[in-house]
């Protein structure tokens, strides 16, 4: 059993991940900001940890992570709050989480990033371009660390039910993927610690999730 600390644990991917980790026999420890979110997370089999990523410093976040085996970062501003919030959560929040994991002695770190071709060919706002810049900078920060990291770059996220099947590779065609299948892929990565220091692009596909993860082991 692994103890998995989830930053963004109350979000859509985070909640699905809590469910899958419980099914896999792991202990999910989702970080959540609002007290009322705890009951929902407990109902998914998780052990909620209350805290605000924006308010915690490296040391305080490390204290909450203490005893965990894996950190999953799936937090994001989601376009709310403009560039300042994206910078604070997707950028500085990730930097803080990487520093905290190292302080807490947690070696494994899984990051949900962004597909490089996201929304290309469309008229993009400067806010979106900033989002992509911040996501790439976050990838660079994690990849430069001494952690045993995996960066997952999913295509356009949907709320469709997960199929349990994906397409995963170092470089694949752009496409959509249900958030539930991203969570399933993350849970399978927790089960396969041999997968490390690799960037994986992820979309909907025909390969069972466990088989897709095994190709990187």
């Amino acid at each position: 059993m692994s103890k998995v600390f989830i930053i963004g644990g109350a979000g859509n991917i985070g909640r699905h991940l809590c469910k899958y980790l419980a099914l896999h026999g792991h202990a999910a420890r989702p970080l959540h900001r609002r007290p009322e979110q705890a009951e929902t997370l407990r109902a998914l089999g998780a052990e909620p940890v209350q805290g605000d990523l924006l308010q915690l410093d490296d040391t305080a976040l490390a204290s909450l992570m203490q005893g965990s085996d894996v950190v999953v970062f799936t937090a994001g501003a989601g376009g709310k709050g403009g560039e300042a919030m994206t910078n604070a959560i997707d950028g500085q929040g990730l930097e803080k989480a990487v520093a905290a994991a190292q302080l807490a002695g947690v070696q494994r770190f899984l990051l949900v990033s962004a597909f490089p071709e996201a929304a290309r060919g469309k008229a993009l706002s400067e806010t979106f371009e900033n989002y992509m810049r911040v996501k790439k900078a976050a990838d660079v920060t994690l990849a430069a660390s001494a952690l045993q990291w995996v960066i997952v770059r999913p295509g356009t996220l949907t709320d469709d039910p997960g199929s349990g099947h994906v397409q995963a590779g170092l470089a694949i065609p752009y496409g959509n993927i249900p958030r539930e299948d991203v969570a399933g892929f993350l849970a399978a990565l927790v089960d396969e610690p041999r997968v490390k220091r690799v960037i994986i692009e992820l979309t909907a596909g025909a390969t069972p999730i466990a088989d897709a993860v095994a190709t990187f082991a």
Side-chain angles (χ1 to χ4, degrees):
M1 182 188 78
S2 293
K3 294 182 179 180
V4 184
F5 189 87
I6 308 169
I7 300 175
N12 290 323
I13 291 176
R15 293 196 305 273
H16 283 303
L17 179 57
C18 287
K19 175 186 68 177
Y20 279 119
L21 288 172
L23 289 173
H24 286 226
H26 300 299
R29 305 185 63 235
L31 183 69
H32 66 98
R33 183 167 53 88
R34 300 196 303 273
E36 61 269 22
Q37 294 169 322
E39 185 175 347
T40 298
L41 294 168
R42 284 196 191 93
L44 297 171
E47 303 168 7
V49 179
Q50 188 171 353
D52 187 339
L53 179 63
L54 296 179
Q55 301 300 321
L56 296 165
D57 62 16
D58 298 359
T59 303
L61 184 57
S63 179
L64 296 180
M65 286 181 184
Q66 202 72 43
S68 299
D69 302 296
V70 185
V71 171
V72 177
F73 191 99
T74 183
K80 299 175 182 177
E83 292 186 10
M85 194 60 73
T86 295
N87 296 344
I89 297 177
D90 301 74
Q92 295 154 15
L94 181 279
E95 294 172 7
K96 186 186 303 183
V98 169
Q102 293 176 107
L103 286 172
V106 183
Q107 288 298 306
R108 197 124 191 271
F109 196 111
L110 311 181
L111 170 63
V112 178
S113 186
F115 207 104
E117 284 74 40
R120 294 305 182 232
K122 299 180 180 179
L124 301 175
S125 67
E126 182 57 31
T127 299
F128 188 83
E129 290 293 356
N130 178 70
Y131 167 81
M132 295 303 292
R133 284 193 294 268
V134 169
K135 284 295 191 184
K136 179 56 184 288
D139 291 355
V140 170
T141 295
L142 180 57
S145 76
L147 299 172
Q148 300 299 308
W149 53 266
V150 179
I151 296 170
V152 179
R153 292 176 171 171
T156 296
L157 300 170
T158 74
D159 290 322
D160 296 332
S163 69
H165 294 73
V166 297
Q167 181 178 6
L170 301 178
I172 62 173
Y174 184 56
N176 298 339
I177 184 167
R179 289 176 172 86
E180 186 173 5
D181 282 335
V182 176
F185 193 83
L186 292 168
L189 283 172
V190 171
D191 279 336
E192 187 44 272
R194 291 178 298 174
V195 181
K196 56 188 176 183
R197 296 186 175 275
V198 63
I199 298 174
I200 303 172
E201 295 183 355
L202 188 69
T203 64
T207 304
I209 286 174
D211 293 346
V213 168
T215 63
F216 296 95

